[in-house]
Amino acid sequence: PEIYTLSLDGALRISFEQKRGGVFVGGVGTDNILQDDDSVISLDDANSLFEKAHAHFRKKEYDEAVDGFRRFVRQFPDSDKAEEAHFWVGVSYMAAENHEKALQQFATLVMAYPNGAKAPEALYRMALCYQEQERGDEALAALTQLVELYPYSTAAQNAEELLNELE
């Protein structure tokens, strides 16, 4: 297996193994989820919480969106939507132009879900954040890593276009 490392300004370093044919197994859904206080939350409540956070994002209420998606992840870490909630935290930070927090969030997503559906897009968004911060070398590294790790993804196609523009 190949090991890839991406550093965020020396503050956060992500490494993960890319295994050919490897399969990432996500969380298993249940009808009800127990909280720390033993109260039961239904999946309808989980979906409602996710949708409320997304509604805040659509209204450009990014701090509230971040809080909602983070709460979702804390309460439903094994949900099928946990990876997506992590992604939307990063997108919310990005929309609020807090690129450093967005970078950290996207890096966390790639580490936690290297074979997840949102990992390629998270790497692409990391490159965009680096660009916004005028950190061209790191943007190029993220784009190159994206194309190498996820060559058949839509994000990789977008990365190749952006690489051609940058070169």
Side-chain angles (χ1 to χ4, degrees):
E2 299 176 62
I3 298 176
Y4 293 89
T5 301
L6 184 61
S7 178
L8 298 179
D9 229 9
L12 178 65
R13 174 173 284 224
I14 61 172
S15 298
F16 58 92
E17 290 184 356
Q18 177 69 20
K19 297 179 181 176
R20 302 238 184 264
V23 177
F24 175 77
V25 179
V28 177
T30 60
D31 290 337
N32 294 305
I33 298 172
L34 286 177
Q35 282 188 252
D36 291 339
D37 64 0
D38 291 334
S39 62
V40 176
I41 297 179
S42 72
L43 287 183
D44 289 338
D45 292 336
N47 289 333
S48 176
L49 182 58
F50 187 92
E51 289 307 317
K52 284 179 186 173
H54 205 264
H56 283 298
F57 178 84
R58 286 190 304 272
K59 291 189 273 186
K60 299 182 181 183
E61 298 169 347
Y62 302 124
D63 290 339
E64 292 84 353
V66 166
D67 290 344
F69 288 122
R70 284 193 179 281
R71 183 172 174 221
F72 180 90
V73 169
R74 274 193 316 275
Q75 291 185 347
F76 305 101
D78 296 327
S79 164
D80 293 343
K81 289 187 176 182
E83 177 191 10
E84 189 174 354
H86 279 289
F87 178 77
W88 281 103
V89 170
V91 172
S92 297
Y93 280 135
M94 199 173 171
E97 298 184 12
N98 189 336
H99 300 294
E100 200 57 40
K101 284 189 177 182
L103 281 166
Q104 291 173 359
Q105 185 62 39
F106 291 134
T108 298
L109 185 151
V110 171
M111 283 186 60
Y113 305 95
N115 292 325
K118 293 293 185 185
E121 182 66 21
L123 271 172
Y124 183 73
R125 300 242 179 179
M126 287 176 72
L128 296 178
C129 287
Y130 283 131
Q131 263 193 308
E132 284 294 319
Q133 294 179 323
E134 298 180 10
R135 294 163 63 183
D137 289 344
E138 290 161 295
L140 287 172
L143 292 169
T144 302
Q145 185 177 29
L146 166 57
V147 171
E148 288 176 8
L149 292 174
Y150 308 103
Y152 303 109
S153 67
T154 302
Q157 293 170 0
N158 295 336
E160 287 176 346
E161 291 173 17
L162 190 53
L163 280 167
N164 289 334
E165 289 175 23
L166 295 174
E167 292 175 345

